[in-house]
Amino acid sequence: MIDKVDLWNIDFNAKYIIRKLSYALKNRLISQGKLTLEFEKKLSKTVGLPYAVCTNSGSSAFLLLLITLNLKKGDEIIIPDRTWISDLHAPKILGLKIKLVDVEDERPVINLQALTKKITKKTKVIVAVHLGGRLVNINQVMKIAKKRNIIIIEDSSQVFGTKNKNFGLGRNSLASFFSFSVAKIVSSGQGGFIATKSRSLYKKLILNRSHGVKLENNREKWSNVAFNFKFTDIQACLGIGELIKINEKKKKLQRIYNKYFNEIKNLAHIKIIPINLKIDEVPLYIDVVTKYRKKLFDYLKKKNIQTRPFYPSMSEAKYNKTKGNFRNSIYFSNNGLFLPSGPDLKMEKINKVIRTLKEFEAKIK
C-alpha cells in the first residue's frame, strides 16, 4: 500500500451533518431559508458582529459588497499583489481602476509603507487581505485611510476562527468577507459570507443578494441593478455542522504549525513563513519558501507527498496592466510552496513530511 500524504486533509462532522441534512430534506428546506438564517446568526456570534449575510462563494461576497457600495467606473481600489485572483476579478468586472501594492518581505500581507504611497484623491476603497491566517494590522490601515474618507474592506477568507479583537474581521472596518471553500477551516463545499456592524449596509446587502428585488404590497418591484448571490439551506447544514468543530480544528492547526516550525526552523534552504500564534493567528496552511522549489516539489512527489506551488501574484496576470515594484510579492510567487496541512492530518504523516524535508536539505548541501 502506498503511504500517500495529501495536501489538505479534511474530515467533515459527518454524523451531525447527516442528521441536519435529513431534517432539511424531510421539511423541503432546499433553497435559502430558515436554516441559512440560523447559520447566519451563528456566524454573527462567532465573529462578534451583529450582521452576517451568506453568499454562494467568498468571491461573490466581495463582488456583492462592491456592487452595494455603488462605486463608479474608474473609481480607484487598492489591493495587495498577493491575494486570491477574485480580489482582482471582482473590481475588474465592475470597471474600477485597480492599484496593486507590494507585500512585506517576510509575510505576504500588504506593505503599509507601500500602501501610503499608492493612495490618491481618487482612492475610494482599500482591501486589507489577511492571507494564510496572517493578520494585517487593520488599525494602522484605518489610520492611513481616516483623513481621506476611504472605505476599508477586509478579505478574511483565510483567517476565520481568530478571536483577536484588535486586528480584523470587520470590527473596525466597514465589512469583512469570508470563504467556505473546501480548504477552509469551516467549509460548505462552496459559499461565503459578509460580516458587518452597519445595519444600513446589511439591509442593502440582503436586497442586492436577491437581484435587488423589493416586495411592496405583495408585489415584486425592481429597485436597482443587482444579481443572485443566494446561499442554500443544504449548504447551511454543512456549515452549521462544521462550525461546531471550529475551535477544535483551530487548536489542531496551531499544533501542526508548531510541529513544523520547531522541526524545520533551522533548515538553511527551506524557510517556513511565520505565523504569530500569540495574537491568535490561525495557520490555515503550512507554507514555506525555497529557491529550490521545483526540485523540492519533484522530490516530495516521488515520496508520495502532495504539495502545491504558490499561485501567481496579481501583477503577473497578463490582462491586468499595472506599474510598480512588486519585488516581495514576486519572490513569494516564485519560491512559495504549500506543504501538507489540515486539521485532520495525522501526526505520522506530518513526521513523514518533516523527515523528507530534512533528507532533501541534506542532499542539496
Side-chain angles (χ1 to χ4, degrees):
M1 184 176 178
I2 296 174
D3 183 19
K4 185 178 180 183
V5 185
D6 294 325
L7 183 57
W8 289 301
N9 191 285
I10 301 159
D11 180 23
F12 285 102
N13 192 1
K15 289 183 180 179
Y16 180 90
I17 290 170
I18 289 169
R19 289 199 303 270
K20 201 76 177 176
L21 284 169
S22 177
Y23 169 81
L25 293 171
K26 285 178 181 178
N27 291 276
R28 300 181 182 182
L29 300 173
I30 307 297
S31 188
Q32 184 175 283
K34 71 176 187 178
L35 292 180
T36 297
L37 185 59
E38 177 188 343
F39 187 33
E40 288 174 337
K41 288 179 179 178
K42 291 180 182 296
L43 291 169
S44 174
K45 186 176 181 181
T46 301
V47 298
L49 287 167
Y51 307 108
V53 179
C54 283
T55 62
N56 47 31
S57 73
S59 302
S60 62
F62 183 36
L63 183 58
L64 173 59
L65 258 174
L66 293 180
I67 289 171
T68 304
L69 291 176
N70 288 321
L71 299 171
K72 298 176 183 177
K73 189 173 181 180
D75 283 346
E76 284 185 1
I77 182 169
I78 295 178
I79 64 173
D81 198 36
R82 290 299 304 167
T83 183
W84 181 240
I85 194 65
S86 59
D87 285 350
L88 177 70
H89 287 171
K92 200 162 189 66
I93 287 169
L94 298 179
L96 305 182
K97 183 178 180 181
I98 300 163
K99 282 195 169 182
L100 299 176
V101 177
D102 201 10
V103 296
E104 297 176 4
D105 55 356
E106 292 189 358
R107 305 188 313 150
V109 296
I110 196 164
N111 184 309
L112 298 184
Q113 287 184 329
L115 170 62
T116 303
K117 295 175 182 178
K118 291 279 184 168
I119 293 172
T120 71
K121 293 179 180 179
K122 294 182 180 179
T123 303
K124 301 296 182 183
V125 178
I126 295 172
V127 183
V129 181
H130 307 288
L131 199 65
R134 299 169 186 89
L135 295 168
V136 176
N137 190 329
I138 200 66
N139 293 328
Q140 291 299 318
V141 178
M142 295 295 291
K143 284 181 181 178
I144 291 169
K146 189 176 181 180
K147 295 180 180 179
R148 301 171 174 90
N149 199 30
I150 298 171
I151 295 168
I152 307 300
I153 294 173
E154 295 173 69
D155 180 346
S156 302
S157 300
Q158 297 182 10
V159 291
F160 189 38
T162 181
K163 288 186 168 65
N164 190 306
K165 294 182 179 179
N166 299 315
F167 278 79
L169 309 186
R171 295 183 183 94
N172 298 314
S173 61
L174 175 65
S176 192
F177 65 94
F178 302 78
S179 170
F180 296 135
S181 65
V182 73
K184 302 301 189 294
I185 193 170
V186 169
S187 176
S188 55
Q190 287 294 333
F193 78 101
I194 300 164
T196 182
K197 59 187 177 184
S198 168
R199 181 167 175 77
S200 61
L201 177 63
Y202 170 72
K203 287 182 175 181
K204 292 174 184 176
L205 290 169
I206 291 293
L207 182 69
N208 287 343
R209 178 174 62 177
S210 185
H211 296 286
V213 175
K214 277 185 179 180
L215 278 175
E216 293 185 2
N217 299 319
N218 294 317
R219 188 171 184 271
E220 291 175 332
K221 179 182 178 183
W222 316 132
S223 62
N224 58 274
V225 176
F227 213 65
N228 181 1
F229 297 98
K230 289 185 287 188
F231 201 61
T232 71
D233 280 5
I234 296 297
Q235 289 173 290
C237 292
L238 294 169
I240 292 168
E242 284 300 281
L243 199 56
I244 294 170
K245 297 174 67 177
I246 187 171
N247 290 327
E248 175 190 340
K249 285 189 171 187
K250 185 174 83 168
K251 288 176 183 178
K252 286 182 178 179
L253 286 169
Q254 290 174 335
R255 284 199 296 270
I256 288 169
Y257 171 80
N258 269 328
K259 177 68 174 176
Y260 269 112
F261 179 80
N262 290 328
E263 291 285 349
I264 69 173
K265 63 182 179 182
N266 294 322
L267 298 184
H269 301 100
I270 306 167
K271 294 298 180 185
I272 193 166
I273 303 175
I275 286 280
N276 189 346
L277 299 183
K278 291 181 180 179
I279 62 170
D280 201 41
E281 290 185 335
V282 181
L284 186 62
Y285 312 124
I286 301 299
D287 37 17
V288 298
V289 286
T290 173
K291 65 180 181 179
Y292 299 100
R293 183 173 70 179
K294 179 64 168 62
K295 289 183 178 179
L296 178 58
F297 176 87
D298 292 340
Y299 188 78
L300 292 170
K301 187 177 180 180
K302 286 179 182 178
K303 301 289 184 177
N304 294 308
I305 296 171
Q306 187 183 54
T307 61
R308 193 180 80 180
F310 276 15
Y311 42 77
S313 294
M314 302 303 98
S315 57
E316 296 177 89
K318 293 180 179 179
Y319 48 81
N320 183 58
K321 294 181 180 179
T322 186
K323 295 179 181 179
N325 181 354
F326 306 107
R327 181 185 63 184
N328 295 334
S329 65
I330 298 302
Y331 170 79
F332 285 113
S333 175
N334 291 339
N335 298 284
L337 189 71
F338 292 108
L339 297 179
S341 59
D344 297 291
L345 188 66
K346 303 298 182 184
M347 197 55 69
E348 58 264 28
K349 299 284 190 180
I350 296 170
N351 287 332
K352 177 183 177 179
V353 178
I354 290 169
R355 285 195 307 271
T356 309
L357 292 173
K358 289 179 178 179
E359 288 171 8
F360 179 80
E361 174 82 5
K363 286 179 179 294
I364 61 174
K365 279 185 178 179

